[in-house]
Amino acid sequence: MARRKTAESGDGDAQQPSTPDVKPTAALNVQREVIKVNNANQSELKHTLDDTLKRFLGGPDQFKTIHRHTDVRLALGWSCVFIASGTALYGYQTQFEKSKFVVWTGVILYVLLTSIQTLYAYFIEGRTVYVGKRKTFTKRIETERITIESHAHPSSPSSPPKYELSVLYIRSTNNGKSLLHRGKIQDSLGFNAFYDEDGVLDQVVFEEWVRGLVIKAAGDAE
Amino acid sequence: MFAEELKTFRRLGFRHVLLQVLNFASVITSGLMIWKGLGLITNTESPIVVVLSGSMEPAFYRGDLLFLTNPPHTSYKTGDITVYQIPGVDIPIVHRVIEAHDLAKDPSSNNTLLHTNRQLLLTKGDNNYADDIQLYQGLDWLEREHIVGKVQGYLPYIGYVTIAMNDFPQLKYALLGILGFLALLQRE
């Protein structure tokens, strides 16, 4: 009987997977600074929640943040800026006819890099706000990888604007080669669940919600 | 007001600050690149200019925006409205061509200037009494290389923004300051 149960849960292991340790930070509530935003600005509401999520999951004893998407965007963006400034400076100092070749290469390079950056952000990064990794040393070295996407739904006459999170949790060993566990959870709540009417964010409520989603994604077999 | 933003910066760390500064820098550089690209496509150093004087009335008034092109191998004809710049003079001038002489190419000539097609041009402002010979700083004729471009189209009144910013530099700095402030603090 017990054997069939474990087979059904889709886990190769003989025991239930341990729930990941996402510690609540409620204990630190007293020293926290108040986060207050403009209630009317949906973009600010969403970004503040994203930032709080990044700080919460990337905090001490939680996951280790993978900054890949940010770094790619920074690298491409800043190289565009430098190419553009170099080209503009060169064009300013040299006569128009002589400078044409260099300015052409500069402009074309700039357009190319900007297009790559836009395509990367649209196709590869998409709605991802957080990517994190954690290694646990139970019986063997297990790597947990978590990817979180967020999206804001505008309000409709019957519902408030909503914040949707999509959590993807992957646990593997053997340096990513053996998959132990994969879970994906999607959930959305109205922004009014987190912000009060003055625009103050209730960080504890939000972090508890996120924590619940992560635990559910980790405990949810696919 | 600033306290909130500074707190956000400190909270989010160095990468975030870099991202926000990148936002600001990209706005400026994309404007710059569009300008340079436009200049390359139209083959002229400044594809958009503002009329500063009334010497071309009633065709163009002070404050009009002019769009220029400089087609590479065509010759300018009498009646074309050109913008030219005499070397050593800061401000380019927009006047009409009233005389154009095409000197044919003569590769065998001793005069190396005749090894390519050359044009000698004389211009005059529609609203001026005399032609531009006084403005040529000693030259007898304008040559192709002095011409920035030929006017292809115009927009009235828009150029007053540029004139205002030139006459009141504080306006320019204020505008830049406001744009910078917004770009640094807004999130996409």
Side-chain angles (χ1 to χ4, degrees):
Chain A
M1 258 315 168
R3 270 190 165 242
R4 283 200 69 203
K5 267 203 191 147
T6 35
E8 270 169 16
S9 74
D11 212 29
D13 217 342
Q15 60 199 17
Q16 280 290 7
S18 53
T19 45
D21 228 356
V22 185
K23 299 193 184 74
T25 45
L28 303 170
N29 200 19
V30 181
Q31 296 107 336
R32 281 217 229 189
E33 41 186 284
V34 171
I35 299 178
K36 184 163 183 225
V37 298
N38 176 10
N39 250 348
N41 184 349
Q42 185 180 298
S43 156
E44 207 175 325
L45 291 177
K46 176 189 181 285
H47 282 121
T48 310
L49 287 185
D50 291 343
D51 295 339
T52 312
L53 186 149
K54 286 180 215 173
R55 267 195 11 260
F56 173 54
L57 290 177
D61 294 338
Q62 315 282 27
F63 292 92
K64 177 166 172 259
T65 314
I66 295 178
H67 291 285
R68 186 121 175 256
H69 292 313
T70 314
D71 288 345
V72 167
R73 175 188 280 205
L74 281 175
L76 284 175
W78 278 107
S79 45
C80 279
V81 169
F82 285 127
I83 289 177
S85 337
T87 310
L89 202 68
Y90 180 80
Y92 181 71
Q93 286 174 336
T94 328
Q95 262 214 330
F96 182 66
E97 291 294 324
K98 291 197 185 70
S99 71
K100 271 201 230 185
F101 180 67
V102 175
V103 179
W104 264 120
T105 44
V107 172
I108 290 177
L109 263 179
Y110 178 85
V111 171
L112 229 68
L113 282 180
T114 309
S115 322
I116 294 176
Q117 187 185 344
T118 312
L119 292 173
Y120 184 91
Y122 188 71
F123 287 112
I124 301 181
E125 193 178 342
R127 293 174 179 172
T128 313
V129 286
Y130 184 80
V131 182
K133 189 160 97 158
R134 184 163 62 187
K135 286 199 162 101
T136 43
F137 304 91
T138 43
K139 295 191 310 191
R140 49 206 163 165
I141 300 175
E142 290 177 358
T143 315
E144 297 162 289
R145 192 186 168 95
I146 182 167
T147 307
I148 303 191
E149 297 175 8
S150 83
H151 182 56
H153 292 285
S155 64
S156 72
S158 56
S159 68
K162 290 211 179 103
Y163 182 72
E164 179 187 317
L165 272 190
S166 174
V167 178
L168 174 67
Y169 176 91
I170 293 179
R171 190 201 251 160
S172 57
T173 68
N174 216 352
N175 207 16
K177 291 188 203 120
S178 341
L179 178 67
L180 288 180
H181 207 100
R182 187 179 185 272
K184 188 162 183 184
I185 295 282
Q186 241 175 335
D187 191 21
S188 64
L189 272 183
F191 281 110
N192 55 339
F194 309 117
Y195 292 99
D196 68 13
E197 60 185 14
D198 291 323
V200 177
L201 169 65
D202 191 344
Q203 298 176 53
V204 179
V205 167
F206 179 65
E207 289 175 3
E208 280 305 306
W209 180 58
V210 171
R211 180 165 166 264
L213 284 181
V214 171
I215 290 177
K216 200 161 161 213
D220 204 33
E222 235 208 21
Chain B
M1 181 195 21
F2 282 115
E4 282 298 323
E5 274 69 28
L6 283 177
K7 262 201 270 181
T8 317
F9 281 137
R10 239 188 307 127
R11 251 204 310 255
L12 292 167
F14 184 57
R15 273 189 176 88
H16 177 75
V17 174
L18 273 183
L19 273 175
Q20 291 297 103
V21 180
L22 178 64
N23 267 350
F24 175 62
S26 343
V27 170
I28 296 187
T29 53
S30 56
L32 215 57
M33 285 289 103
I34 291 175
W35 176 257
K36 287 283 169 216
L38 201 62
L40 285 174
I41 294 173
T42 55
N43 194 35
T44 165
E45 203 169 344
S46 55
I48 303 179
V49 294
V50 174
V51 177
L52 291 177
S53 72
S55 57
M56 278 300 287
E57 294 180 14
F60 302 130
Y61 293 88
R62 182 172 145 89
D64 287 353
L65 205 70
L66 300 178
F67 299 102
L68 309 176
T69 62
N70 187 21
H73 298 295
T74 52
S75 29
Y76 285 104
K77 309 224 171 346
T78 317
D80 285 346
I81 304 178
T82 59
V83 175
Y84 64 89
Q85 186 159 23
I86 303 286
V89 179
D90 276 338
I91 306 177
I93 301 172
V94 51
H95 283 165
R96 197 183 294 272
V97 174
I98 55 171
E99 271 185 51
H101 299 278
D102 294 317
L103 301 179
K105 189 158 87 171
D106 187 6
S108 60
S109 156
N110 279 334
N111 185 354
T112 51
L113 285 172
L114 288 176
H115 288 176
T116 55
N117 280 323
R118 260 181 95 202
Q119 271 206 294
L120 301 176
L121 303 165
L122 179 65
T123 60
K124 175 183 169 302
D126 289 351
N127 208 17
N128 288 348
Y129 186 71
D131 62 29
D132 289 350
I133 211 84
Q134 296 280 39
L135 299 168
Y136 289 173
Q137 306 280 331
L139 294 173
D140 285 329
W141 298 98
L142 269 188
E143 305 224 20
R144 192 62 205 283
E145 69 211 27
H146 300 130
I147 310 277
V148 171
K150 174 170 126 167
V151 178
Q152 297 287 10
Y154 84 107
L155 278 177
Y157 307 122
I158 311 276
Y160 265 113
V161 180
T162 316
I163 292 179
M165 290 210 281
N166 268 334
D167 290 346
F168 307 107
Q170 306 98 310
L171 212 62
K172 203 185 337 184
Y173 297 130
L175 191 66
L176 274 178
I178 292 173
L179 284 176
F181 173 76
L182 283 176
L184 280 174
L185 297 176
Q186 291 273 31
R187 305 284 297 278
E188 279 151 40

